[in-house]
Amino acid sequence: MSKCAIIGGGPAGLNAALYLKRAGLDVVIIEKDVPGGEMFKTDKIENYLGFENISGGDLAYNMAKQVKDLGAWIIKDKVIRVFKEDNKDGKFILEMVNDRLEFDYVVVATGREPRKLGVRGSDNLIGRGLSYCAVCDGYFYKGLEVAVIGGGDAALTEALYLSDLCSKVYVLVRKDMRASEILKKRVGSKDNIVILKNTEVRSFDYDDELKGVTLSNGEFLAISGIFVAIGGAPSLDFLSDMDVNLKDGYIVTDERMRTNIPGLYAVGDVRYKDFYQIITAASDGAIAALSIKEDVR
Ligand code: NDP
């Protein structure tokens, strides 16, 4: 039986596993963290068809359970290198931190890593006032004033979550917002969310903990916590031996999720495409699995 590896257990990888398993293929999902990917860190999901309102953690749990119940195997490990050797009959070799396995097909579903802020001092402040995840760390700032950096859907989703916990939430948008209308409207109806456009953080003021930030207009904003939600980018060092076609750091595929390397597919946020949503990631996974079913040697 053809063996398929799925690298990454977010919605794209899990849906690929569901379809592959139902097609009778042998499937292993390799996930370095918990199943669900970025979705796991999301407070409320209201745009995944079939669920009016579900937490990212619950949706991740449901998806992983459905796939495991079908018999897919989820390994907790990190893939550090994908390559081929001449004497291996075209198989992909996956080198992981704890193992080394061979597969006929590989689906890359590793998503994106959050973009780091890059302002001096920001790395030192992680865990002492600066966070990349409101659902994970928001509770530490209950009743306090905080800020979110970013103007996309993720930043406004973080701000809405924090507005139920914190006394005031500033959203620092470096130019204009690019978030969806529904989120902008919801943020507009919250009395304790303040949007500051054309605003960047120039520097941080902290000793043991964050005291505030100096903004690009020179003003000082006294806050106890700052949440960074400025998008992300794929992290693809593990594919450096494979000569995969990339565009702007994302993997290029055809409509069937095939990359330029036969047997290698890419799905979800790691793929170069127009729309990055949970439902489009899941759709990519289904398409890749159906393509593999047709491509099986
Ligand atoms: P986006 O790329 O959409 O937005 C990134 C934001 O961060 C922009 O406002 C950008 O500003 C800003 N930014 C980037 N770098 C910096 C920096 N160094 N300093 C300050 N600001 C910076 O990313 P998101 O993570 O918000 O969303 C990614 C995708 O996921 C989108 O397709 C989005 O629709 C989707 N998503 C959907 C959700 C939903 O449907 N509920 C929830 C979360 C994400 P600028 O515009 O100036 O570049």
Side-chain angles (χ1 to χ4, degrees):
M1 196 195 294
S2 292
K3 282 184 70 180
C4 307
I6 297 170
I7 310 176
L14 290 171
N15 211 30
L18 178 80
Y19 275 72
L20 285 168
K21 206 61 207 169
R22 287 169 59 91
L25 281 93
D26 195 1
V27 184
V28 174
I29 301 164
I30 303 152
E31 165 59 55
K32 67 178 165 52
D33 204 343
V34 288
E38 282 298 296
M39 174 177 75
F40 188 83
K41 301 178 192 163
T42 307
D43 162 39
K44 278 187 208 152
I45 295 167
E46 297 175 332
N47 56 2
Y48 191 82
L49 190 67
F51 295 90
E52 274 180 30
N53 186 338
I54 186 166
S55 76
D58 285 349
L59 188 54
Y61 175 83
N62 291 351
M63 287 181 178
K65 181 174 182 307
Q66 191 175 357
V67 167
K68 276 191 212 162
D69 288 351
L70 272 177
W73 189 26
I74 305 186
I75 301 177
K76 186 168 166 100
D77 208 337
K78 183 176 177 175
V79 174
I80 45 185
R81 191 173 159 225
V82 177
F83 61 103
K84 288 194 174 198
E85 279 176 357
D86 290 343
N87 59 351
K88 291 288 184 185
D89 195 23
K91 287 191 188 297
F92 294 93
I93 302 165
L94 267 57
E95 204 171 277
M96 294 167 256
V97 175
N98 299 305
D99 211 343
R100 182 183 157 114
L101 296 171
E102 291 175 15
F103 295 92
D104 302 291
Y105 298 92
V106 173
V107 180
V108 179
T110 45
R112 306 189 261 196
E113 302 285 334
R115 182 173 291 125
K116 296 284 180 234
L117 187 61
V119 174
R120 220 173 98 206
S122 52
D123 283 348
N124 297 335
L125 271 168
I126 295 173
R128 294 194 293 143
L130 185 141
S131 167
Y132 286 85
C133 174
V135 174
C136 318
D137 300 325
Y139 192 75
F140 299 123
Y141 302 93
K142 197 168 188 306
L144 302 174
E145 297 201 0
V146 299
V148 175
I149 304 181
D153 285 337
L156 295 200
T157 304
E158 299 277 89
L160 285 165
Y161 177 76
L162 291 165
S163 69
D164 290 335
L165 285 173
C166 303
S167 56
K168 198 166 204 176
V169 182
Y170 296 93
V171 181
L172 312 181
V173 186
R174 73 171 167 188
K175 287 178 210 135
D176 203 354
M177 284 201 276
R178 55 163 99 159
S180 57
E181 288 307 317
I182 188 163
L183 286 174
K184 283 200 262 188
K185 202 168 161 197
R186 215 171 277 173
V187 160
S189 72
K190 289 276 186 173
D191 291 340
N192 64 342
I193 300 183
V194 178
I195 306 283
L196 301 177
K197 290 186 187 168
N198 300 310
T199 302
E200 288 184 73
V201 170
R202 194 187 283 167
S203 62
F204 294 101
D205 182 7
Y206 60 97
D207 41 36
D208 277 348
E209 294 191 332
L210 182 69
K211 291 174 165 175
V213 291
T214 301
L215 303 175
S216 42
N217 63 4
E219 270 178 35
F220 182 75
L221 193 64
I223 44 167
S224 305
I226 193 147
F227 291 82
V228 182
I230 57 171
S235 173
L236 294 171
D237 289 352
F238 67 94
L239 278 182
S240 56
D241 289 341
M242 292 305 307
D243 224 2
V244 180
N245 282 349
L246 301 180
K247 186 168 180 193
D248 297 342
Y250 290 76
I251 299 177
V252 176
T253 72
D254 66 10
E255 286 188 1
R256 295 292 194 104
M257 310 300 142
R258 298 178 182 115
T259 70
N260 57 313
I261 311 286
L264 187 75
Y265 303 73
V267 294
D269 286 8
V270 77
R271 215 184 124 223
Y272 184 83
K273 58 179 181 173
D274 289 334
F275 302 112
Y276 295 88
Q277 297 286 310
I278 297 169
I279 198 130
T280 60
S283 163
D284 285 359
I287 293 169
L290 295 169
S291 305
I292 292 173
K293 178 70 181 152
E294 282 189 7
D295 296 347
V296 164
R297 292 189 271 267

